[in-house]
Amino acid sequence: MTVIRRETEADAPLVHALHDAAFAAAEHSSGHEADLVDALRTSGDWEPAYSLVAEADDRPVGHVVATYGRLAGERILGLGPIGVDPALHGKGIGSALMHAAIAAAEARDEPAIVLLGSPVYYGRFGFVAASEHGVEAPDPNWGPYFQIRPLTAWRSGLRGVYTYSPAFDEFG
Ligand SMILES: CC(C)(COP(=O)(O)OP(=O)(O)OC[C@H]1O[C@@H](n2cnc3c(N)ncnc32)[C@H](O)[C@@H]1OP(=O)(O)O)[C@@H](O)C(=O)NCCC(=O)NCCS
C-alpha cells in the first residue's frame, strides 16, 4: 500500500537519497536535484503543504515539491523536482504525487502551477504549454516543455516571464 502524506522533519535525508537515486538514470538531470530540494527547504519560498512524500513499507518511495517563484509580481508555484524510487517506476506513484500536489494547491487557492518537463507525461494532469496562457519560461529555449496547470483561482492578468525560486539558479 502506498500513501501520500506531507514530508516530516525525519524525512529530509531519505528524500535526499531518493532524489539521488531517482535522477541517477534520468534522461534529463542536473545531478543536483537532491541538493536543490535541501536548498529550497531552507529558503523563504518553501511551503510545507507542498512537500509530499509517497510512503510504502514505512519508507519514502517518492517525493514531490512545489515552491514559490514569481510571475507578474505574485508568488506562483513552480513544481519540481519529482522523483520516484527507480525500482517502483510505472506503478502510479508519480501520478499519485502529481494529483496530490495539484489538489493541495487548488485547496489553498493558488492560481497555477508551472513546471519544466515532458508534455506527454504532464499533459495527463492538465498541464499545457505555458505560452498558451501568456506565461513565458525563464529560458526561451524551453519551448513547450515549460508548462502550466491553471487552477480555479487563475486570472488572465498573470502574464509575463516566470522566475523560479533563486535556489534553482544554483542547483536547477
Ligand atoms: C517521472 C517519474 C516521477 C514518474 O514516476 P512513476 O511513478 O514512474 O509514474 P507513473 O507510474 O505515475 O506513470 C508512469 C508513466 O509515465 C511515463 N513517463 C515517465 N517519465 C516520463 C517522461 N519523462 N516522459 C514521458 N513519459 C514518462 C511512463 O512511460 C509511464 O507511462 P505508461 O503509464 O504509459 O506506462 C519517475 O519516472 C522518476 O522518478 N523519474 C526520474 C526523475 C525524473 O525524471 N523526474 C521528472 C523530471 S521532469
Side-chain angles (χ1 to χ4, degrees):
M1 186 184 70
T2 305
V3 297
I4 307 297
R5 60 165 177 77
R6 270 169 63 163
E7 180 192 298
T8 65
E9 219 174 305
D11 290 323
L14 299 170
V15 164
H16 185 104
L18 182 61
H19 283 295
D20 271 346
F23 281 91
E27 202 180 330
H28 302 286
S29 169
S30 65
H32 297 292
E33 287 81 4
D35 295 329
L36 171 61
V37 173
D38 291 338
L40 287 168
R41 197 180 281 112
T42 57
S43 78
D45 297 321
W46 181 271
E47 163 50 58
Y50 303 131
S51 179
L52 302 174
V53 161
E55 182 179 291
D57 298 329
D58 293 326
R59 70 179 178 98
V61 294
H63 176 258
V64 67
V65 66
T67 51
Y68 288 113
R70 301 289 181 280
L71 175 67
E74 291 193 30
R75 276 154 62 94
I76 298 291
L77 290 173
L79 186 138
I82 178 171
V84 170
D85 181 338
L88 299 172
H89 282 183
K91 295 181 182 298
I93 296 171
S95 296
L97 286 166
M98 286 302 301
H99 287 302
I102 293 165
E106 188 66 288
R108 291 169 59 94
D109 290 329
E110 302 289 353
I113 306 174
V114 300
L115 58 73
L116 173 65
S118 157
V120 175
Y121 186 61
Y122 295 103
R124 298 177 181 199
F125 314 109
F127 283 81
V128 296
S131 57
E132 287 185 24
H133 291 277
V135 179
E136 296 166 43
D139 180 341
N141 295 322
W142 293 355
Y145 292 89
F146 185 65
Q147 299 164 68
I148 191 166
R149 172 65 150 86
L151 303 173
T152 305
W154 174 253
R155 305 182 315 280
S156 56
L158 293 167
R159 305 175 76 82
V161 178
Y162 181 81
T163 49
Y164 279 94
S165 174
F168 281 85
D169 294 337
E170 197 176 348
F171 295 109

